[in-house]
Amino acid sequence: MLQRNRAVAVCVGGVLAVALLVAALTARPELGGEPSDTAQQEPTQTVQSEQPEQSGEPAAVVPPAPQPAPSAPQSPAQQRVPADLRARVASLMVVGVTNEAQARAALDQGVGGLIIPSWADPALLTAQGHNIEALRAQYHHPFSVAIDFEGGRVQRHTDVMGSFMAPRELAARPPEVIRGTGYDIGRSLRGRGVNVDYAPLLDLDVSGLDIVGDRAFSGHPDEVVRVGTLFAQGLIDANVTPTFKHFPGHGRASGDTHHQLAVTPPLDQVRELDMRPFGPLLQRFPRSSVMMGHMIVPGMGPEGVPSSLNPEAYRILRDGDYPGGVPFEGVVVTDDLSGMRGILDYAPTPEAVKRAIAAGADQALWSSGADVPQVIDGVVAAVQSGELPEARVNEAAARAQQQLINTGL
């Protein structure tokens, strides 16, 4: 039995020896074997190890360098925002101009908007080669041109733009007349280079306040929404941006903000009634703008601060934090910061401009058009000192550019 096992072992060993010899001949061409596929594709390379050959320590693992996070793509509006800080700040200003020379002086400062007040020279609207369209052809940065044109008591330069019925009278007309009137006004404005109308007024005529009166469509929120929708659509049909005013509602204020500081009922009451027309209209027209009024609303943010300078007023509007409200991302412009005692009795124009932008305004409006370079420099200084976050300026500037894009400018 032992002899038989030895014989088997010898036989197995012989087979293994033959197999090893065949493998060696195959792997070594110089011994007669064919080169492998890997040998045909990759030339022999000498690799030098950076570590000593006998080192028992593992090679150090170097982590890859961190890559910067990809930045979010910029929107067309953001791409148009000026890189220079002063130019960015200037793009938030809407200033009154009375003639071509004043318009040029403002545009030379880089302002983003002009407003045509009632006391402006009509030649700015009509003089060939010296009107708004001529200015747009000559200045490389886009700018808006706005006007107060509601019809009735508030319609500027009717000798040029035409005359239209008061909003209260218009509300009684058929729907096609309401929308058609909005279109006719818009077409007249756009024909003179105006692309923003500070209308329609959404204040409710509920307390007999003379400054509201027949400028209001109605005293009922639903009726204001119905008529305001038709009128605003007419403006948009004519490629003019409507501006709903005056948030959070002037209808029950204690007086006219043109002449005095004015106080509304407490915030909960204003929310329940005065703000109601804004939600449905802003949902229907998200590319419209809103004018922030100067009314002081008890219980809203810092006590005694006019809405135009009150961060809480802008938060409520942006978040749609009122019955029927919707978040709003369009332009918010202040009411006049230079010609109304309702703000001047609280803060002078340069300070009001700075505080309005810090609070949340995208455009600061002052109809006098005075001291434009100094006002811009004051806001720039506030940014540089950290008093006004630069991000707030950037946000506002992008919204202002989007409004221009919306009307083809």
Side-chain angles (χ1 to χ4, degrees):
M1 185 68 177
L2 179 61
Q3 291 178 347
R4 182 179 177 181
N5 289 342
R6 287 177 178 173
V8 170
V10 169
C11 180
V12 171
V15 171
L16 289 173
V18 172
L20 290 172
L21 178 61
V22 171
L25 291 173
T26 303
R28 298 180 61 187
E30 66 272 22
L31 297 180
E34 292 295 328
S36 67
D37 290 341
T38 302
Q40 290 176 344
Q41 295 172 4
E42 297 179 6
T44 302
Q45 296 181 0
T46 302
V47 179
Q48 295 183 348
S49 172
E50 295 182 359
Q51 299 293 332
E53 292 182 4
Q54 302 303 320
S55 173
E57 298 181 1
V61 177
V62 180
Q67 298 297 316
S71 57
Q74 289 191 321
S75 68
Q78 290 171 325
Q79 293 172 19
R80 288 175 35 153
V81 170
D84 175 72
L85 174 60
R86 192 177 191 280
R88 242 177 299 155
V89 168
S91 73
L92 311 184
M93 308 301 169
V94 178
V95 301
V97 292
T98 58
N99 52 44
E100 181 190 7
Q102 191 178 15
R104 287 186 178 279
L107 293 171
D108 286 342
Q109 292 295 319
V111 302
L114 308 177
I115 177 174
I116 310 298
S118 59
W119 56 89
D121 183 351
L124 190 55
L125 301 168
T126 60
Q128 196 71 23
H130 301 277
N131 57 9
I132 293 168
E133 293 300 346
L135 293 173
R136 283 211 170 99
Q138 294 166 30
Y139 282 85
H140 297 298
H141 74 274
F143 58 90
S144 67
V145 178
I147 198 168
D148 282 304
F149 210 102
E150 304 167 7
R153 283 189 282 163
V154 180
Q155 48 184 345
R156 312 304 186 203
H157 299 283
T158 55
D159 53 335
V160 176
M161 303 295 192
S163 182
F164 298 85
M165 69 185 79
R168 174 62 55 79
E169 182 183 354
L170 181 64
R173 300 301 178 93
E176 60 272 19
V177 173
I178 299 171
R179 181 170 175 173
T181 298
Y183 176 75
D184 289 343
I185 290 173
R187 187 176 60 177
S188 180
L189 300 186
R190 196 60 197 250
R192 299 298 182 182
V194 177
N195 65 296
V196 176
D197 188 6
Y198 291 148
L201 183 138
L202 303 188
D203 299 327
L204 303 175
D205 183 26
V206 291
S207 63
L209 193 62
D210 183 62
I211 190 59
V212 178
D214 65 352
R215 293 174 62 193
F217 293 128
S218 173
H220 195 285
D222 292 344
E223 179 67 359
V224 170
V225 169
R226 183 188 73 84
V227 183
T229 297
L230 293 165
F231 184 87
Q233 187 61 60
L235 290 175
I236 290 172
D237 293 343
N239 204 21
V240 170
T241 299
T243 303
F244 301 114
K245 61 184 186 185
H246 304 82
F247 193 87
H250 197 299
R252 293 189 288 168
S254 61
D256 180 356
T257 52
H258 289 87
H259 304 302
Q260 63 189 82
L261 289 169
V263 182
T264 70
L267 176 60
D268 59 343
Q269 297 181 32
V270 172
R271 262 199 175 107
E272 287 300 320
L273 181 64
D274 301 82
M275 294 183 188
R276 281 187 177 274
F278 287 89
L281 284 160
L282 296 182
Q283 183 174 24
R284 176 70 179 268
F285 304 111
R287 291 186 171 185
S288 60
S289 59
V290 172
M291 178 174 285
M292 185 67 73
H294 298 318
M295 301 76 65
I296 296 169
V297 182
M300 185 174 71
E303 290 299 322
V305 178
S307 297
S308 54
L309 309 185
N310 192 328
E312 182 64 5
Y314 292 93
R315 187 204 66 77
I316 291 171
L317 175 60
R318 292 294 184 199
D319 292 350
D321 186 15
Y322 53 93
V326 294
F328 179 63
E329 282 301 319
V331 164
V332 181
V333 59
T334 68
D335 206 344
D336 188 2
L337 297 173
S338 66
M340 303 177 69
R341 299 313 311 177
I343 193 66
L344 292 177
D345 287 346
Y346 186 87
T349 299
E351 179 68 14
V353 168
K354 179 179 68 177
R355 291 186 60 174
I357 294 171
D362 303 309
Q363 293 179 326
L365 181 159
W366 70 103
S367 64
S368 72
D371 303 320
V372 172
Q374 293 82 358
V375 173
I376 294 172
D377 290 342
V379 177
V380 171
V383 175
Q384 293 172 334
S385 70
E387 178 184 359
L388 171 58
E390 188 170 355
R392 172 80 272 279
V393 172
N394 297 343
E395 173 189 59
R399 288 197 183 112
Q401 291 299 323
Q402 185 61 56
Q403 184 184 80
L404 290 163
I405 291 172
N406 291 344
T407 53
L409 297 175

